[in-house]
Amino acid sequence: MPASQHEDCIFCKIARGDIPCTSVFESEELIAFLDISPVNKGHTLLVPKAHMETLFDMPAGIGEMLFAAMKQVGSAVMKATGAEGLNVVQNNYSAAGQQVPHVHWHLIPRFADDGYTAWPQGAYQDMQEMAALADAIREKL
Ligand code: 5GP
Ligand code: ZN
């Protein structure tokens, strides 16, 4: 097992071929395969082969390669499914819906009539609350 992988992680097991997947793309660093429970058929997961739990554990240099694969695989998913749109979703930590603690990107083909809606959106009390939160975020950069 490569040192960068975890013994018991399901996506590490898929990356090293210990359990099967329906692969659509593979490079030295990445693998993409169909999600077993798709939002829409063709829903694909793009996964770094090295074990990293979340976005925040990833090295900076990986971005360009990851983005290129996201575009290449995302475009192929759209063409193959005839999708009219594509959601790219990435969940960090269980509070945000992350079920598999090995970082991955969902490439979800979308159709104008598929009936799915985005999260409900709220409102700020006033502009001061909004500005104070922006200040707090800037201070943490
Ligand atoms: P998360 O909720 O962590 O962002 O997404 C995990 C995704 O992995 C889910 O959409 C789930 O359906 C998918 N998944 C979980 N286990 C397996 C598996 O063994 N094989 C495949 N192909 N997908 C899986
Ligand atoms: Zn892993």
Side-chain angles (χ1 to χ4, degrees):
M1 184 181 75
S4 61
Q5 295 205 325
H6 280 196
E7 181 78 45
D8 295 329
C9 170
I10 189 149
F11 285 178
C12 284
K13 286 181 183 171
I14 287 176
R16 60 178 183 265
D18 284 0
I19 61 173
C21 72
T22 312
S23 168
V24 299
F25 167 90
E26 189 163 1
S27 68
E28 201 173 319
E29 299 92 353
L30 301 170
I31 185 165
F33 51 89
L34 297 185
D35 192 304
I36 204 159
S37 306
V39 172
N40 281 324
K41 289 177 185 175
H43 176 169
T44 297
L45 301 174
L46 179 62
V47 184
K49 289 181 176 173
H51 183 89
M52 295 170 275
E53 185 172 341
T54 72
L55 177 69
F56 306 108
D57 303 311
M58 299 188 69
I62 203 169
E64 199 174 324
M65 177 252 299
L66 191 66
F67 201 62
M70 206 176 285
K71 286 174 66 177
Q72 187 186 5
V73 178
S75 170
V77 166
M78 284 190 71
K79 287 177 187 155
T81 58
E84 300 159 279
L86 185 85
N87 285 121
V88 178
V89 178
Q90 196 260 320
N91 302 320
N92 296 287
Y93 305 115
S94 57
Q98 185 177 10
Q99 297 168 5
V100 176
H102 178 134
V103 69
H104 54 278
W105 277 257
H106 296 255
L107 307 176
I108 304 172
R110 293 296 308 278
F111 302 86
D113 63 354
D114 64 20
Y116 300 123
T117 52
W119 291 289
Q121 288 182 273
Y124 290 101
Q125 226 163 15
D126 49 33
M127 287 306 289
Q128 278 86 342
E129 185 192 15
M130 203 170 172
L133 196 53
D135 285 343
I137 293 168
R138 271 195 299 273
E139 275 170 28
K140 298 291 182 194
L141 292 176

